[in-house]
Amino acid sequence: MAGGKPVSAFLAKTVFTLTCRSCGTPVEIPGRFGFKLKGSGINSTLCNRCRQLQFREARANDLASVDDNDPDSRLGQSTPRRLLPTAALAIALLLVIGSVWLGRRSSDQEPRPQDAAPAVIPLPSR
C-alpha cells in the first residue's frame, strides 16, 4: 500500500512517458500498460501521428500494388470470401422454407378435429 491506497490504484493514476521512435516526441502511456512496457525494457514506441502516417503509407502501397490495367483484380480476390457467407445464408433460407412447407403439408394431411367423427363415450353404469 502506498499512502493508504492500494498499489493498483497508484498504478492506474501513474503516467509513463516513452519517446516516439520515428519523430522523438514524448508519448504518454497511462497505468499498468505503461508500467509493463517500462518494466520490460522498452524505451520507445510510436505516437499517434506516426502510427497514422505509417498506416496511410501502407494503405497507399497496397492500393498502388494493384494492377492498373485490371481494375477488377481486387474484386476477384474478395469473391471467395463473400461466397461462403452467401452460400450459408442461402442454405439457411432453404431450410426455413422447407421446414415451413413440410409443416404445412403434414398439417393438411391430418384430419381436423371438427371434421372427425365424434367419439362415443359409454355412460358409466350404476
Side-chain angles (χ1 to χ4, degrees):
M1 294 186 75
K5 294 181 182 177
V7 176
S8 62
F10 176 72
L11 289 177
K13 295 178 184 177
T14 305
V15 176
F16 295 91
T17 303
L18 301 172
T19 58
C20 176
R21 64 185 140 183
S22 292
C23 62
T25 59
V27 178
E28 294 182 346
I29 301 175
R32 294 185 66 180
F33 187 64
F35 178 75
K36 288 179 181 181
L37 286 176
K38 280 283 208 178
S40 67
I42 295 176
N43 296 330
S44 64
T45 186
L46 284 174
C47 64
N48 285 339
R49 186 174 57 90
C50 292
R51 189 177 301 131
Q52 288 173 355
L53 285 174
Q54 220 174 33
F55 172 77
R56 287 180 185 150
E57 288 173 3
R59 181 72 175 145
N61 290 340
D62 185 38
L63 291 176
S65 68
V66 175
D67 188 13
D68 294 333
N69 296 333
D70 186 15
D72 293 333
S73 65
R74 287 193 65 81
L75 292 176
Q77 293 173 358
S78 64
T79 302
R81 283 187 251 157
R82 293 180 182 166
L83 187 60
L84 186 63
T86 305
L89 185 63
I91 289 172
L93 185 63
L94 286 173
L95 285 173
V96 168
I97 291 172
S99 63
V100 168
W101 182 69
L102 286 175
R104 189 170 286 183
R105 251 184 100 190
S106 65
S107 67
D108 287 344
Q109 291 175 356
E110 295 173 4
R112 294 193 177 110
Q114 66 264 18
D115 295 342
V120 177
I121 301 172
L123 296 173
S125 60
R126 287 192 175 190

